Amino acid sequence: MAFPPIVTATLQSAVLSGTSNLLAQALTAYQTDSQLVIDWVPIFQFIIYTIISTPPNFMWQGFLEETFPAYHVSPTKRAIASAAANDEKELDREAREDKLVEPKLNIRNTVIKLVLDQTVGAALNTLAFSMFMHSIQTAMTRPEHLAAAHHSGPYLLSRGAIDYGKVDWRAVVRSSQLEFVPIFLAGLKLWPMVSLVNFALIKSIEGRNLVGSLAGVAWGIYMSLVAAR
């Protein structure tokens, strides 16, 4: 039985998110000329964030598409020529062959969606990421004897691995505010182009989510490095 599109998109994004964090760890090990020891805690944190954040983003993209459709129906050039020549026989033939109209990109709607996605959407996603990461990192502060990466697996399986009672939410908000602008500006170097490709060329929400997730691997590596600071 096939999963609903939103579930498929979430699972797909979660796998790619975990992959991006793993790649970030490998990159860090390479840059520092050290042995790669996988730390499963940040991978877990990124996967959980993605599972939480993908459904609302999926619905956001659906809302944008329903409100500002990317394509509208327009007569084909052949249909216009036939109509101009008053050639009813040719028009009938084109109607039978379904060649009277074709989808045409709506430039106005595409621009509106791009602006909304890169302002409202980007701002909310940036804030959500920072708030989530700072809070869960504090909630999962490891005791000294389990702090090393090779102890990350046992730590995740230990009782009380996540304790939000440790979180100082004022500190989380302050940290999120401080890094909001740098992350937002960094995102503007990637996501507007991804959104433009999605809105202009990809018609399905599922397809757009896949393109976004693939681009998100590169973004996830960057964000993993930010979160690891």
Side-chain angles (χ1 to χ4, degrees), residues 211-222:
V211 171
S213 295
L214 291 174
V217 172
W219 179 248
I221 292 174
Y222 169 76

Side-chain angles (χ1 to χ4, degrees), residues 151-215:
H151 290 311
S152 59
Y155 174 74
L156 282 175
L157 298 175
S158 66
R159 185 176 181 180
I162 304 177
D163 180 6
Y164 272 89
K166 302 175 183 177
V167 178
D168 180 349
W169 289 102
R170 291 183 180 178
V172 168
V173 171
R174 283 196 301 271
S175 297
S176 299
Q177 289 174 332
L178 288 173
E179 67 185 16
F180 177 84
V181 172
I183 294 176
F184 185 86
L185 293 179
L188 292 179
K189 298 176 182 178
L190 171 67
W191 292 113
M193 183 57 65
V194 174
S195 292
L196 182 60
V197 170
N198 265 340
F199 293 141
L201 302 178
I202 311 299
K203 295 183 180 180
S204 70
I205 301 301
E206 296 88 340
R208 290 175 184 173
N209 189 80
L210 176 59
V211 171
S213 295
L214 291 174

